[in-house]
Structures are given as structure tokens and as C-alpha cells.
């Protein structure tokens, strides 16, 4: 008497499930950081500035501001950047200036009947070129580190 052979269809189903689990894990763990934009573009400057402000790295963020804004900077330390997300909406680029429009999404914890809530608003960064480099002349107040460089 020979021992029964394992059912091949069961092995195939288990193999397919294992492959799907591995692919799902790869997708989940590879989605981490957003794609880094070219640092020589207005969008790239805004992306790096926003990331620095949200991370609390004011020194790095200052490097993306124009010399006039840096020199007259009155530090604004009450920025509430927890639970902020910045999404690129559009860019209008001219020869020596640019407007980068973003959507700033703030998430708030909530215990109400609908749980957490979000608030989104579109804001604009004004950039100019200084010695061939894009720098921020004014930023939305939600991401301002200097009171003199912030605006609504």
C-alpha cells in the first residue's frame, strides 16, 4: 500500500497565497517617502522646505529662504506642524519668480461621533531666483518659521 499523495491543487493554492502575501508586504513597505522632486525647481525647494519645517529642522528650512527674509527673520516658534501634510497643486514659473500652490491638510484627533477630522486649504509659496537659485520669499502661515516671511 502506497501513502496518499498530497493534493496538487491545495499546494498550488497555498503557493499563490504565499506569493500574494509577499507582494503585499513589498508594496506596503516600499510606499514610504514621496518621490523627491528636483532640488533646482521651485517645487523641489518647497518640498524640502516643508519637510524641514514639519521635521522641526529650522536651520535647514532657513537655507531655503531669501537673504532678505533670513536677515529680518523674527523666529516664530509656535508653529503647529504635527499632523500636517503638504500636497503639490500647481506651479506657475516665470523667468525670475514662481508661485507654488499647495494644499495643506491638517488632521485632528477627535472623539466625536465621526472620529478624527481633517481640514484642507490651498496656499501659495512665492519664490524668486537669487544668484540662479530658487528661494522662498513668502510662505503660508502654517509653515512659517519667520513672522516677516509669512502670509495668508
Amino acid at each position: 500500500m502506497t501513502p496518499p499523495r498530497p493534493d496538487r491543487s491545495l499546494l498550488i493554492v497555498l503557493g499563490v497565497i504565499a506569493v500574494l502575501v509577499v507582494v503585499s508586504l513589498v508594496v506596503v513597505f516600499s510606499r514610504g517617502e514621496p518621490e523627491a522632486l528636483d532640488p533646482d525647481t521651485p517645487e523641489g525647494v518647497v518640498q524640502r522646505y516643508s519637510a524641514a519645517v514639519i521635521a522641526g529642522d529650522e536651520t535647514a528650512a532657513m537655507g531655503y529662504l531669501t537673504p532678505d527674509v533670513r536677515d529680518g527673520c523674527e523666529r516664530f516658534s509656535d508653529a503647529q506642524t504635527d499632523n500636517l501634510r503638504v500636497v503639490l497643486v500647481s506651479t506657475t514659473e516665470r523667468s525670475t519668480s514662481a508661485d507654488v500652490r499647495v494644499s495643506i491638510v491638517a488632521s485632528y484627533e477627535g472623539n466625536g461621533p465621526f472620529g478624527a477630522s481633517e481640514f484642507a486649504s490651498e496656499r501659495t509659496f512665492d519664490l524668486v531666483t537669487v544668484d540662479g537659485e530658487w528661494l522662498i520669499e513668502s510662505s503660508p502661515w502654517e509653515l512659517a518659521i519667520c513672522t516677516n516671511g509669512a502670509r495668508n
Side-chain angles (χ1 to χ4, degrees):
M1 179 176 256
T2 61
R5 290 184 145 197
D7 185 10
R8 281 192 168 179
S9 58
L10 178 61
L11 292 176
I12 292 172
V13 168
L14 291 174
V16 168
I17 290 173
V19 168
L20 289 174
V21 167
V22 169
V23 168
S24 298
L25 289 172
V26 167
V27 167
V28 167
F29 290 116
S30 67
R31 294 187 66 203
E33 293 295 317
E35 176 185 343
L37 300 174
D38 183 350
D40 296 327
T41 64
E43 301 92 341
V45 170
V46 168
Q47 182 184 46
R48 283 161 180 74
Y49 171 84
S50 299
V53 171
I54 290 171
D57 188 352
E58 290 183 8
T59 303
M62 290 288 281
Y64 297 106
L65 301 176
T66 64
D68 290 343
V69 173
R70 277 189 301 239
D71 292 344
C73 182
E74 297 174 28
R75 288 291 176 106
F76 181 71
S77 61
D78 292 338
Q80 299 295 318
T81 56
D82 293 342
N83 303 317
L84 275 188
R85 194 171 72 241
V86 181
V87 180
L88 177 65
V89 174
S90 65
T91 302
T92 303
E93 188 174 333
R94 295 170 287 282
S95 60
T96 60
S97 66
D99 300 322
V100 177
R101 192 141 182 88
V102 297
S103 176
I104 299 176
V105 182
S107 300
Y108 303 99
E109 296 292 325
N111 293 329
F114 299 108
S117 63
E118 286 187 344
F119 175 77
S121 60
E122 287 193 8
R123 304 281 191 220
T124 303
F125 284 86
D126 293 323
L127 290 86
V128 294
T129 55
V130 177
D131 298 327
E133 183 180 11
W134 287 107
L135 295 173
I136 296 170
E137 190 170 55
S138 68
S139 64
W141 65 267
E142 297 92 337
L143 293 167
I145 58 172
C146 299
T147 57
N148 60 322
R151 65 180 184 107
N152 290 335

